[in-house]
């Protein structure tokens, strides 16, 4: 697994990582070169900020199994032996109910399309962002490789060494430019929907019954138009952890139609609303921000979550070698948002 051409030795510092250059082949999904579902006959002169509010955005629910396999095959960042890395589109669920079209449900077809079915091993998901997020997915048909990576991730978490780096655009600004967010979280069911809620001062019984202590590091990379480009490094794994952490900082992720409603505002001052009495609803954006994003209110209601698993650290090929770095380019709609907001992209060579 040491031959990934997209891997490089890790550079120290968060900003140096964001400035790392990806190879030209890492075009990612949604680009003209690699998106098999790109509409034909589109005008070359029409800029994405005018005619396409969400360029490159796919709707997996409208795809057939064959079309989804084609999309995922085109989204492969690298493939070496049994280990495959792809750039998951936003909105694609990793798993789901029987009969639902998910990443897990098409793994047999994807394995065949990538020429791995002859090895006789079942394809497994090692690491993947949630449904509403985009970014790096690790797949392997080798149990030994999967076990090695799993042990590496577990050991890194215990040592509090981040292995995953997300990029997010927030609606609002964090109070400080960098720091850590700690919270005890639990899952609750409301109207058939599972969501995470903070738990104050959890007891030992709470921990036994499913409450988890969570931790994320964050750093603001750029600000503009009342929004921020933020880098996040989770030290724990919990559903919707990063969305809840940013919501607790009063700056929910742009396109978060689940947790943004928990942030209220009076005379420009933001505050948290009780999770138990606040139902998920579409994120509300002010008129000035809508103009900057060049969106109508109806389009804003369809705004995708701007949370992208941009970078992963993996173990080196040999025990004493430094970890290796794997990058995924930003989705085109994410880059469009940064352009509209005037947020600089230190990793512009990595985005599509």
């Amino acid at each position: 697994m040491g031959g990934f051409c997209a891997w490089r030795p890790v550079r120290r510092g968060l900003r140096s990582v964001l400035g790392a250059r990806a190879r030209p082949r890492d075009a990612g999904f949604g680009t003209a070169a690699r998106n098999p579902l790109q509409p034909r006959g589109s005008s070359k002169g029409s800029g994405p900020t005018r005619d396409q509010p969400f360029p490159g955005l796919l709707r997996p629910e409208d795809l057939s199994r064959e079309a989804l396999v084609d999309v995922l095959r085109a989204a492969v960042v690298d493939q070496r032996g049994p280990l495959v890395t792809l750039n998951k589109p936003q909105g694609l669920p990793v798993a789901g109910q029987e009969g639902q079209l998910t990443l897990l449900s098409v793994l047999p077809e994807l394995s065949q399309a990538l020429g791995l079915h002859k090895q006789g091993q079942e394809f497994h998901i090692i690491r993947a962002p949630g449904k509403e997020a985009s970014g790096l997915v690790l797949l392997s048909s080798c149990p030994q490789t999967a076990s090695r990576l799993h042990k590496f991730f577990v050991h890194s978490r215990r040592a509090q060494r981040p292995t995953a780096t997300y990029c997010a655009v927030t609606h609002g600004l964090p109070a400080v430019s960098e720091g850590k967010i700690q919270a005890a979280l639990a899952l609750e069911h409301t109207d058939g929907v599972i969501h995470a809620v903070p738990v104050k001062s959890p007891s030992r019984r709470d921990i036994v019954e499913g409450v988890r202590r969570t931790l994320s590091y964050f750093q603001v990379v750029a600000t503009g138009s009342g929004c921020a480009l933020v880098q996040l490094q989770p030290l724990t794994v919990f559903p919707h952890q990063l969305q809840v952490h940013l919501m607790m900082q009063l700056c929910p992720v742009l396109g978060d139609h689940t947790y943004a409603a928990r942030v209220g505002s009076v005379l420009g001052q933001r505050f948290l609303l009780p999770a138990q009495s606040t139902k998920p609803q579409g994120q509300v954006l002010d008129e000035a921000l809508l103009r900057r994003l060049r969106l109508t209110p109806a389009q804003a209601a369809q705004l995708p979550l701007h949370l992208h698993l941009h970078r992963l650290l993996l173990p080196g090929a040999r025990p004493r070698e430094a970890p290796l770095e794997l990058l995924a380019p930003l989705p085109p709609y994410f880059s469009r948002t940064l352009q509209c907001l005037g947020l600089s992209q230190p990793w512009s060579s990595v985005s599509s």
Side-chain angles (χ1 to χ4, degrees), residues 65 74 83 94 112 126 146 148 182 207 228 242 269 314 351:
R65 295 181 66 89
L83 189 60
V94 176
Q112 186 171 7
I126 302 174
R148 181 181 181 225
Q182 300 182 82
I207 300 299
L242 297 179
Q269 296 297 316
L314 302 179
S351 61

Side-chain angles (χ1 to χ4, degrees), residues 35 61 74 117 126 141-142 166 170 172 208 214 225 271 308 328:
N35 183 2
E61 64 272 15
H117 62 291
I126 302 174
S141 60
C142 174
Y166 286 77
T170 62
V208 172
T214 61
S225 303
F271 57 92
H308 179 74

Side-chain angles (χ1 to χ4, degrees), residues 20-57:
R21 294 181 175 271
R23 299 195 177 197
R25 65 171 295 185
D26 297 345
F29 65 88
T31 63
R34 302 190 66 173
N35 183 2
L37 301 181
Q38 185 179 6
R40 296 181 181 181
S42 59
S43 172
K44 293 182 179 179
S46 61
T49 58
R50 288 192 304 166
D51 301 332
Q52 300 178 37
F54 312 126
L57 183 65

Side-chain angles (χ1 to χ4, degrees), residues 215-287:
L215 170 64
S216 301
Y217 291 124
F218 74 93
Q219 181 179 26
V220 176
V221 178
T223 61
S225 303
C227 297
L229 175 60
V230 180
Q231 178 179 263
L232 298 146
Q233 294 182 317
L235 270 295
T236 52
V237 178
F238 194 86
H240 300 177
Q241 173 178 320
L242 297 179
Q243 290 170 250
V244 177
H245 280 185
L246 287 173
M247 175 271 296
M248 295 177 67
Q249 298 299 302
L250 305 178
C251 53
V253 181
L254 194 65
D256 186 345
H257 304 295
T258 300
Y259 298 100
R262 297 186 193 174
V263 179
S265 177
V266 174
L267 299 177
Q269 296 297 316
R270 295 190 173 195
F271 57 92
L272 288 180
L273 295 169
Q276 291 75 12
S277 60
T278 308
K279 293 185 177 181
Q281 61 182 15
Q283 189 176 42
V284 178
L285 305 179
D286 58 66
E287 293 184 3

Side-chain angles (χ1 to χ4, degrees), residues 88-92 129-135 166 305 307-309 333:
K88 185 185 83 70
Q90 188 274 344
L92 176 63
K131 173 184 176 181
E132 300 303 327
S134 59
Y166 286 77
L305 185 72
L307 181 65
H308 179 74
L309 179 48
Y333 65 81

